[in-house]
Amino acid sequence: EPVDIVVSYDWPRGIWKHGNYDDIFAHDLSGDLKREMDGNTLGSPAAMDMLKKLRPPFWFSAKLNVKFPALMPHGDGTFTRFLSLQRCRGSREL
């Protein structure tokens, strides 16, 4: 049966290429994310393999604690809507 929603801790490797990754740099104070992107080490290769095989309509991840949407097209005309979820903030942190 098809899978509609996937929730993972790690991002699928390379998913950042399918969104506006310049937005991520505003949260990348140490430069680590840019180094991982440049070296193609950001995210999990196994998660990307699963995304390509299952082709779910929706995929949610939370590891980087930054809101980041992406749209991953598949060769059959379908696509996966990816969303990295930002950490919930209490009223004291606003």
Side-chain angles (χ1 to χ4, degrees):
E1 293 198 25
V3 174
D4 293 325
I5 298 172
V6 174
V7 178
S8 68
Y9 178 69
D10 283 323
W11 289 22
R13 174 148 312 156
I15 194 70
W16 59 269
K17 297 174 187 175
H18 301 279
N20 186 1
Y21 53 85
D22 288 334
D23 290 346
I24 296 174
F25 298 141
H27 302 279
D28 185 21
L29 302 178
S30 67
D32 291 340
L33 292 176
K34 178 152 178 33
R35 277 190 292 282
E36 288 186 53
M37 289 175 178
D38 290 344
N40 197 31
T41 59
L42 179 63
S44 164
M48 181 52 84
D49 290 345
M50 188 168 29
L51 186 149
K52 289 177 178 178
K53 181 176 181 177
L54 297 176
R55 298 188 323 260
F58 300 96
W59 188 298
F60 301 96
S61 294
K63 179 178 181 180
L64 298 179
N65 292 321
V66 58
K67 183 178 178 183
F68 179 75
L71 194 61
M72 167 92 179
H74 303 291
D76 62 357
T78 63
F79 52 89
T80 296
R81 290 177 181 96
F82 172 84
L83 181 61
S84 176
L85 303 171
Q86 190 168 16
R87 179 173 62 111
C88 295
R89 295 177 183 224
S91 61
R92 292 182 189 177
E93 295 182 35
L94 295 175

mmCIF file of all heavy atoms in Angstrom, residues 13-55:
data_model
loop_
_atom_site.group_PDB
_atom_site.id
_atom_site.type_symbol
_atom_site.label_atom_id
_atom_site.label_comp_id
_atom_site.label_asym_id
_atom_site.label_seq_id
_atom_site.Cartn_x
_atom_site.Cartn_y
_atom_site.Cartn_z
ATOM 1 N N ARG A 13 19.119 13.134 2.360
ATOM 2 C CA ARG A 13 20.311 13.800 1.822
ATOM 3 C C ARG A 13 19.982 14.498 0.503
ATOM 4 O O ARG A 13 19.407 13.915 -0.394
ATOM 5 C CB ARG A 13 21.443 12.809 1.590
ATOM 6 C CG ARG A 13 22.617 13.489 0.897
ATOM 7 C CD ARG A 13 23.967 13.014 1.214
ATOM 8 N NE ARG A 13 24.264 12.863 2.607
ATOM 9 C CZ ARG A 13 25.214 12.043 3.046
ATOM 10 N NH1 ARG A 13 25.909 11.315 2.212
ATOM 11 N NH2 ARG A 13 25.463 11.962 4.332
ATOM 12 N N GLY A 14 20.338 15.762 0.406
ATOM 13 C CA GLY A 14 20.154 16.535 -0.818
ATOM 14 C C GLY A 14 18.795 17.189 -0.963
ATOM 15 O O GLY A 14 18.556 17.902 -1.934
ATOM 16 N N ILE A 15 17.885 16.982 -0.002
ATOM 17 C CA ILE A 15 16.547 17.581 -0.122
ATOM 18 C C ILE A 15 16.633 19.105 -0.166
ATOM 19 O O ILE A 15 15.806 19.766 -0.779
ATOM 20 C CB ILE A 15 15.612 17.100 1.013
ATOM 21 C CG1 ILE A 15 14.150 17.442 0.715
ATOM 22 C CG2 ILE A 15 16.025 17.662 2.359
ATOM 23 C CD1 ILE A 15 13.549 16.665 -0.401
ATOM 24 N N TRP A 16 17.672 19.648 0.439
ATOM 25 C CA TRP A 16 17.826 21.108 0.464
ATOM 26 C C TRP A 16 17.953 21.685 -0.946
ATOM 27 O O TRP A 16 17.648 22.850 -1.173
ATOM 28 C CB TRP A 16 19.028 21.500 1.326
ATOM 29 C CG TRP A 16 20.327 20.918 0.875
ATOM 30 C CD1 TRP A 16 20.874 19.732 1.276
ATOM 31 C CD2 TRP A 16 21.232 21.474 -0.071
ATOM 32 N NE1 TRP A 16 22.072 19.523 0.635
ATOM 33 C CE2 TRP A 16 22.312 20.585 -0.209
ATOM 34 C CE3 TRP A 16 21.241 22.638 -0.833
ATOM 35 C CZ2 TRP A 16 23.384 20.810 -1.057
ATOM 36 C CZ3 TRP A 16 22.316 22.870 -1.679
ATOM 37 C CH2 TRP A 16 23.356 21.964 -1.778
ATOM 38 N N LYS A 17 18.357 20.876 -1.921
ATOM 39 C CA LYS A 17 18.489 21.352 -3.301
ATOM 40 C C LYS A 17 17.138 21.650 -3.941
ATOM 41 O O LYS A 17 17.071 22.287 -4.991
ATOM 42 C CB LYS A 17 19.218 20.309 -4.148
ATOM 43 C CG LYS A 17 20.628 20.042 -3.698
ATOM 44 C CD LYS A 17 21.242 18.895 -4.474
ATOM 45 C CE LYS A 17 22.596 18.519 -3.915
ATOM 46 N NZ LYS A 17 23.146 17.328 -4.586
ATOM 47 N N HIS A 18 16.062 21.197 -3.311
ATOM 48 C CA HIS A 18 14.720 21.345 -3.876
ATOM 49 C C HIS A 18 13.907 22.427 -3.170
ATOM 50 O O HIS A 18 12.684 22.476 -3.316
ATOM 51 C CB HIS A 18 13.992 19.993 -3.830
ATOM 52 C CG HIS A 18 14.715 18.936 -4.584
ATOM 53 N ND1 HIS A 18 14.622 18.816 -5.953
ATOM 54 C CD2 HIS A 18 15.579 17.974 -4.172
ATOM 55 C CE1 HIS A 18 15.391 17.809 -6.337
ATOM 56 N NE2 HIS A 18 15.972 17.287 -5.292
ATOM 57 N N GLY A 19 14.577 23.274 -2.412
ATOM 58 C CA GLY A 19 13.918 24.379 -1.729
ATOM 59 C C GLY A 19 14.810 25.612 -1.789
ATOM 60 O O GLY A 19 15.880 25.603 -2.399
ATOM 61 N N ASN A 20 14.369 26.677 -1.156
ATOM 62 C CA ASN A 20 15.134 27.924 -1.128
ATOM 63 C C ASN A 20 16.165 27.842 0.000
ATOM 64 O O ASN A 20 15.951 28.333 1.099
ATOM 65 C CB ASN A 20 14.206 29.118 -0.933
ATOM 66 C CG ASN A 20 14.937 30.434 -1.045
ATOM 67 O OD1 ASN A 20 16.141 30.471 -1.297
ATOM 68 N ND2 ASN A 20 14.222 31.517 -0.843
ATOM 69 N N TYR A 21 17.289 27.222 -0.303
ATOM 70 C CA TYR A 21 18.280 26.971 0.739
ATOM 71 C C TYR A 21 18.967 28.231 1.243
ATOM 72 O O TYR A 21 19.612 28.211 2.288
ATOM 73 C CB TYR A 21 19.304 25.919 0.307
ATOM 74 C CG TYR A 21 19.996 26.183 -0.995
ATOM 75 C CD1 TYR A 21 21.112 26.987 -1.057
ATOM 76 C CD2 TYR A 21 19.533 25.597 -2.169
ATOM 77 C CE1 TYR A 21 21.753 27.218 -2.252
ATOM 78 C CE2 TYR A 21 20.173 25.824 -3.372
ATOM 79 C CZ TYR A 21 21.281 26.634 -3.411
ATOM 80 O OH TYR A 21 21.909 26.865 -4.594
ATOM 81 N N ASP A 22 18.844 29.338 0.548
ATOM 82 C CA ASP A 22 19.400 30.599 1.071
ATOM 83 C C ASP A 22 18.758 30.955 2.412
ATOM 84 O O ASP A 22 19.388 31.586 3.257
ATOM 85 C CB ASP A 22 19.209 31.736 0.083
ATOM 86 C CG ASP A 22 20.122 31.624 -1.125
ATOM 87 O OD1 ASP A 22 21.200 31.011 -0.988
ATOM 88 O OD2 ASP A 22 19.757 32.132 -2.199
ATOM 89 N N ASP A 23 17.495 30.537 2.615
ATOM 90 C CA ASP A 23 16.815 30.803 3.887
ATOM 91 C C ASP A 23 17.505 30.115 5.053
ATOM 92 O O ASP A 23 17.477 30.593 6.182
ATOM 93 C CB ASP A 23 15.354 30.324 3.831
ATOM 94 C CG ASP A 23 14.496 31.184 2.923
ATOM 95 O OD1 ASP A 23 14.935 32.292 2.550
ATOM 96 O OD2 ASP A 23 13.382 30.748 2.590
ATOM 97 N N ILE A 24 18.123 28.968 4.794
ATOM 98 C CA ILE A 24 18.793 28.216 5.857
ATOM 99 C C ILE A 24 19.989 28.990 6.393
ATOM 100 O O ILE A 24 20.289 28.952 7.584
ATOM 101 C CB ILE A 24 19.251 26.834 5.345
ATOM 102 C CG1 ILE A 24 18.038 25.995 4.956
ATOM 103 C CG2 ILE A 24 20.068 26.109 6.401
ATOM 104 C CD1 ILE A 24 18.413 24.676 4.318
ATOM 105 N N PHE A 25 20.675 29.708 5.528
ATOM 106 C CA PHE A 25 21.899 30.393 5.922
ATOM 107 C C PHE A 25 21.662 31.450 6.997
ATOM 108 O O PHE A 25 22.568 31.780 7.751
ATOM 109 C CB PHE A 25 22.604 30.993 4.718
ATOM 110 C CG PHE A 25 23.044 29.961 3.713
ATOM 111 C CD1 PHE A 25 22.947 30.212 2.363
ATOM 112 C CD2 PHE A 25 23.535 28.733 4.118
ATOM 113 C CE1 PHE A 25 23.348 29.265 1.433
ATOM 114 C CE2 PHE A 25 23.934 27.774 3.201
ATOM 115 C CZ PHE A 25 23.843 28.043 1.857
ATOM 116 N N ALA A 26 20.454 31.978 7.085
ATOM 117 C CA ALA A 26 20.139 32.957 8.127
ATOM 118 C C ALA A 26 20.230 32.328 9.519
ATOM 119 O O ALA A 26 20.480 33.018 10.503
ATOM 120 C CB ALA A 26 18.741 33.523 7.906
ATOM 121 N N HIS A 27 20.055 31.001 9.595
ATOM 122 C CA HIS A 27 20.113 30.281 10.869
ATOM 123 C C HIS A 27 21.462 29.604 11.084
ATOM 124 O O HIS A 27 21.694 28.999 12.123
ATOM 125 C CB HIS A 27 19.011 29.222 10.922
ATOM 126 C CG HIS A 27 17.652 29.782 10.742
ATOM 127 N ND1 HIS A 27 16.949 30.375 11.765
ATOM 128 C CD2 HIS A 27 16.851 29.873 9.645
ATOM 129 C CE1 HIS A 27 15.789 30.795 11.319
ATOM 130 N NE2 HIS A 27 15.700 30.501 10.044
ATOM 131 N N ASP A 28 22.338 29.680 10.109
ATOM 132 C CA ASP A 28 23.609 28.955 10.130
ATOM 133 C C ASP A 28 24.727 29.871 10.617
ATOM 134 O O ASP A 28 25.589 30.283 9.853
ATOM 135 C CB ASP A 28 23.908 28.428 8.729
ATOM 136 C CG ASP A 28 25.155 27.562 8.673
ATOM 137 O OD1 ASP A 28 25.560 27.040 9.725
ATOM 138 O OD2 ASP A 28 25.712 27.408 7.572
ATOM 139 N N LEU A 29 24.713 30.180 11.895
ATOM 140 C CA LEU A 29 25.684 31.124 12.444
ATOM 141 C C LEU A 29 27.104 30.558 12.453
ATOM 142 O O LEU A 29 28.073 31.299 12.343
ATOM 143 C CB LEU A 29 25.266 31.533 13.856
ATOM 144 C CG LEU A 29 23.877 32.178 13.959
ATOM 145 C CD1 LEU A 29 23.553 32.497 15.416
ATOM 146 C CD2 LEU A 29 23.785 33.420 13.095
ATOM 147 N N SER A 30 27.242 29.242 12.552
ATOM 148 C CA SER A 30 28.572 28.631 12.627
ATOM 149 C C SER A 30 29.150 28.297 11.252
ATOM 150 O O SER A 30 30.346 28.056 11.133
ATOM 151 C CB SER A 30 28.498 27.342 13.445
ATOM 152 O OG SER A 30 27.720 26.375 12.757
ATOM 153 N N GLY A 31 28.305 28.254 10.214
ATOM 154 C CA GLY A 31 28.770 27.874 8.886
ATOM 155 C C GLY A 31 28.780 26.373 8.660
ATOM 156 O O GLY A 31 29.145 25.906 7.585
ATOM 157 N N ASP A 32 28.364 25.590 9.658
ATOM 158 C CA ASP A 32 28.370 24.134 9.539
ATOM 159 C C ASP A 32 27.421 23.638 8.451
ATOM 160 O O ASP A 32 27.755 22.717 7.703
ATOM 161 C CB ASP A 32 27.999 23.474 10.872
ATOM 162 C CG ASP A 32 29.080 23.650 11.923
ATOM 163 O OD1 ASP A 32 30.242 23.924 11.543
ATOM 164 O OD2 ASP A 32 28.764 23.508 13.122
ATOM 165 N N LEU A 33 26.230 24.231 8.379
ATOM 166 C CA LEU A 33 25.266 23.773 7.373
ATOM 167 C C LEU A 33 25.795 23.998 5.960
ATOM 168 O O LEU A 33 25.663 23.131 5.090
ATOM 169 C CB LEU A 33 23.924 24.479 7.552
ATOM 170 C CG LEU A 33 23.144 24.120 8.807
ATOM 171 C CD1 LEU A 33 21.875 24.953 8.906
ATOM 172 C CD2 LEU A 33 22.814 22.648 8.837
ATOM 173 N N LYS A 34 26.386 25.151 5.734
ATOM 174 C CA LYS A 34 26.933 25.432 4.405
ATOM 175 C C LYS A 34 28.036 24.438 4.053
ATOM 176 O O LYS A 34 28.093 23.941 2.937
ATOM 177 C CB LYS A 34 27.464 26.862 4.318
ATOM 178 C CG LYS A 34 28.075 27.157 2.956
ATOM 179 C CD LYS A 34 27.999 28.595 2.597
ATOM 180 C CE LYS A 34 28.630 28.960 1.291
ATOM 181 N NZ LYS A 34 28.603 28.032 0.219
ATOM 182 N N ARG A 35 28.900 24.126 5.012
ATOM 183 C CA ARG A 35 29.964 23.134 4.771
ATOM 184 C C ARG A 35 29.363 21.769 4.436
ATOM 185 O O ARG A 35 29.839 21.076 3.538
ATOM 186 C CB ARG A 35 30.887 23.026 5.981
ATOM 187 C CG ARG A 35 31.957 24.093 6.015
ATOM 188 C CD ARG A 35 33.002 23.811 7.081
ATOM 189 N NE ARG A 35 32.489 23.933 8.448
ATOM 190 C CZ ARG A 35 32.289 25.092 9.073
ATOM 191 N NH1 ARG A 35 32.555 26.231 8.458
ATOM 192 N NH2 ARG A 35 31.839 25.114 10.306
ATOM 193 N N GLU A 36 28.317 21.379 5.158
ATOM 194 C CA GLU A 36 27.676 20.090 4.880
ATOM 195 C C GLU A 36 26.992 20.096 3.513
ATOM 196 O O GLU A 36 27.020 19.101 2.791
ATOM 197 C CB GLU A 36 26.670 19.742 5.972
ATOM 198 C CG GLU A 36 27.317 19.349 7.283
ATOM 199 C CD GLU A 36 26.298 18.875 8.301
ATOM 200 O OE1 GLU A 36 25.513 17.973 7.977
ATOM 201 O OE2 GLU A 36 26.293 19.428 9.416
ATOM 202 N N MET A 37 26.378 21.202 3.149
ATOM 203 C CA MET A 37 25.754 21.303 1.821
ATOM 204 C C MET A 37 26.812 21.222 0.730
ATOM 205 O O MET A 37 26.650 20.485 -0.240
ATOM 206 C CB MET A 37 24.973 22.611 1.693
ATOM 207 C CG MET A 37 23.722 22.665 2.495
ATOM 208 S SD MET A 37 23.016 24.318 2.346
ATOM 209 C CE MET A 37 21.549 24.148 3.312
ATOM 210 N N ASP A 38 27.878 21.989 0.891
ATOM 211 C CA ASP A 38 28.951 21.995 -0.104
ATOM 212 C C ASP A 38 29.584 20.612 -0.258
ATOM 213 O O ASP A 38 29.970 20.210 -1.348
ATOM 214 C CB ASP A 38 30.024 23.022 0.255
ATOM 215 C CG ASP A 38 29.547 24.458 0.097
ATOM 216 O OD1 ASP A 38 28.509 24.677 -0.571
ATOM 217 O OD2 ASP A 38 30.201 25.363 0.648
ATOM 218 N N GLY A 39 29.682 19.867 0.846
ATOM 219 C CA GLY A 39 30.279 18.539 0.813
ATOM 220 C C GLY A 39 29.272 17.425 0.560
ATOM 221 O O GLY A 39 29.621 16.247 0.566
ATOM 222 N N ASN A 40 28.005 17.803 0.349
ATOM 223 C CA ASN A 40 26.906 16.850 0.141
ATOM 224 C C ASN A 40 26.853 15.804 1.266
ATOM 225 O O ASN A 40 26.678 14.611 1.025
ATOM 226 C CB ASN A 40 26.991 16.164 -1.219
ATOM 227 C CG ASN A 40 25.674 15.507 -1.589
ATOM 228 O OD1 ASN A 40 24.608 15.973 -1.209
ATOM 229 N ND2 ASN A 40 25.751 14.408 -2.312
ATOM 230 N N THR A 41 26.996 16.280 2.506
ATOM 231 C CA THR A 41 26.889 15.391 3.657
ATOM 232 C C THR A 41 25.711 15.746 4.555
ATOM 233 O O THR A 41 25.512 15.103 5.592
ATOM 234 C CB THR A 41 28.182 15.420 4.501
ATOM 235 O OG1 THR A 41 28.414 16.759 4.950
ATOM 236 C CG2 THR A 41 29.370 14.916 3.702
ATOM 237 N N LEU A 42 24.925 16.741 4.165
ATOM 238 C CA LEU A 42 23.766 17.146 4.966
ATOM 239 C C LEU A 42 22.614 16.186 4.705
ATOM 240 O O LEU A 42 22.116 16.086 3.584
ATOM 241 C CB LEU A 42 23.348 18.574 4.618
ATOM 242 C CG LEU A 42 22.123 19.121 5.356
ATOM 243 C CD1 LEU A 42 22.388 19.197 6.850
ATOM 244 C CD2 LEU A 42 21.723 20.471 4.819
ATOM 245 N N GLY A 43 22.206 15.475 5.722
ATOM 246 C CA GLY A 43 21.084 14.560 5.595
ATOM 247 C C GLY A 43 21.510 13.111 5.465
ATOM 248 O O GLY A 43 22.690 12.786 5.386
ATOM 249 N N SER A 44 20.520 12.250 5.438
ATOM 250 C CA SER A 44 20.733 10.810 5.429
ATOM 251 C C SER A 44 20.552 10.226 4.029
ATOM 252 O O SER A 44 19.495 10.407 3.419
ATOM 253 C CB SER A 44 19.720 10.150 6.374
ATOM 254 O OG SER A 44 19.623 8.778 6.142
ATOM 255 N N PRO A 45 21.554 9.508 3.515
ATOM 256 C CA PRO A 45 21.393 8.856 2.212
ATOM 257 C C PRO A 45 20.281 7.805 2.246
ATOM 258 O O PRO A 45 19.540 7.649 1.277
ATOM 259 C CB PRO A 45 22.740 8.202 1.936
ATOM 260 C CG PRO A 45 23.681 8.674 2.976
ATOM 261 C CD PRO A 45 22.892 9.319 4.065
ATOM 262 N N ALA A 46 20.136 7.093 3.377
ATOM 263 C CA ALA A 46 19.079 6.078 3.487
ATOM 264 C C ALA A 46 17.693 6.718 3.419
ATOM 265 O O ALA A 46 16.775 6.174 2.797
ATOM 266 C CB ALA A 46 19.243 5.292 4.784
ATOM 267 N N ALA A 47 17.540 7.895 4.035
ATOM 268 C CA ALA A 47 16.261 8.598 3.985
ATOM 269 C C ALA A 47 15.947 9.036 2.555
ATOM 270 O O ALA A 47 14.797 8.936 2.107
ATOM 271 C CB ALA A 47 16.266 9.803 4.930
ATOM 272 N N MET A 48 16.955 9.496 1.803
ATOM 273 C CA MET A 48 16.717 9.886 0.410
ATOM 274 C C MET A 48 16.351 8.661 -0.434
ATOM 275 O O MET A 48 15.470 8.738 -1.291
ATOM 276 C CB MET A 48 17.920 10.608 -0.174
ATOM 277 C CG MET A 48 17.724 11.053 -1.627
ATOM 278 S SD MET A 48 16.206 12.020 -1.954
ATOM 279 C CE MET A 48 16.752 13.657 -1.495
ATOM 280 N N ASP A 49 17.011 7.525 -0.192
ATOM 281 C CA ASP A 49 16.657 6.298 -0.915
ATOM 282 C C ASP A 49 15.201 5.920 -0.650
ATOM 283 O O ASP A 49 14.466 5.538 -1.565
ATOM 284 C CB ASP A 49 17.574 5.137 -0.504
ATOM 285 C CG ASP A 49 18.994 5.290 -1.005
ATOM 286 O OD1 ASP A 49 19.239 6.128 -1.903
ATOM 287 O OD2 ASP A 49 19.877 4.570 -0.492
ATOM 288 N N MET A 50 14.781 6.052 0.614
ATOM 289 C CA MET A 50 13.402 5.732 0.969
ATOM 290 C C MET A 50 12.431 6.712 0.314
ATOM 291 O O MET A 50 11.376 6.320 -0.187
ATOM 292 C CB MET A 50 13.231 5.744 2.487
ATOM 293 C CG MET A 50 11.885 5.228 2.902
ATOM 294 S SD MET A 50 11.632 4.854 4.662
ATOM 295 C CE MET A 50 12.690 5.938 5.520
ATOM 296 N N LEU A 51 12.785 7.985 0.287
ATOM 297 C CA LEU A 51 11.925 8.991 -0.344
ATOM 298 C C LEU A 51 11.731 8.672 -1.826
ATOM 299 O O LEU A 51 10.613 8.721 -2.340
ATOM 300 C CB LEU A 51 12.523 10.386 -0.164
ATOM 301 C CG LEU A 51 11.668 11.553 -0.636
ATOM 302 C CD1 LEU A 51 11.947 12.773 0.215
ATOM 303 C CD2 LEU A 51 11.900 11.891 -2.085
ATOM 304 N N LYS A 52 12.820 8.310 -2.495
ATOM 305 C CA LYS A 52 12.743 7.997 -3.931
ATOM 306 C C LYS A 52 11.936 6.725 -4.194
ATOM 307 O O LYS A 52 11.248 6.624 -5.209
ATOM 308 C CB LYS A 52 14.142 7.858 -4.516
ATOM 309 C CG LYS A 52 14.876 9.173 -4.620
ATOM 310 C CD LYS A 52 16.284 8.969 -5.150
ATOM 311 C CE LYS A 52 17.023 10.280 -5.302
ATOM 312 N NZ LYS A 52 18.412 10.083 -5.772
ATOM 313 N N LYS A 53 12.009 5.765 -3.294
ATOM 314 C CA LYS A 53 11.286 4.510 -3.481
ATOM 315 C C LYS A 53 9.804 4.655 -3.129
ATOM 316 O O LYS A 53 8.941 4.227 -3.883
ATOM 317 C CB LYS A 53 11.911 3.408 -2.630
ATOM 318 C CG LYS A 53 11.221 2.078 -2.798
ATOM 319 C CD LYS A 53 11.904 0.981 -2.021
ATOM 320 C CE LYS A 53 11.164 -0.335 -2.266
ATOM 321 N NZ LYS A 53 11.802 -1.446 -1.606
ATOM 322 N N LEU A 54 9.521 5.269 -1.974
ATOM 323 C CA LEU A 54 8.131 5.374 -1.509
ATOM 324 C C LEU A 54 7.358 6.506 -2.180
ATOM 325 O O LEU A 54 6.148 6.425 -2.321
ATOM 326 C CB LEU A 54 8.102 5.577 0.009
ATOM 327 C CG LEU A 54 8.661 4.444 0.861
ATOM 328 C CD1 LEU A 54 8.638 4.855 2.331
ATOM 329 C CD2 LEU A 54 7.880 3.159 0.637
ATOM 330 N N ARG A 55 8.057 7.581 -2.535
ATOM 331 C CA ARG A 55 7.449 8.778 -3.142
ATOM 332 C C ARG A 55 6.204 9.248 -2.372
ATOM 333 O O ARG A 55 5.128 9.402 -2.946
ATOM 334 C CB ARG A 55 7.119 8.514 -4.604
ATOM 335 C CG ARG A 55 8.324 8.221 -5.441
ATOM 336 C CD ARG A 55 8.022 8.144 -6.928
ATOM 337 N NE ARG A 55 6.764 7.552 -7.282
ATOM 338 C CZ ARG A 55 6.589 6.292 -7.707
ATOM 339 N NH1 ARG A 55 7.615 5.499 -7.836
ATOM 340 N NH2 ARG A 55 5.398 5.856 -8.021
#
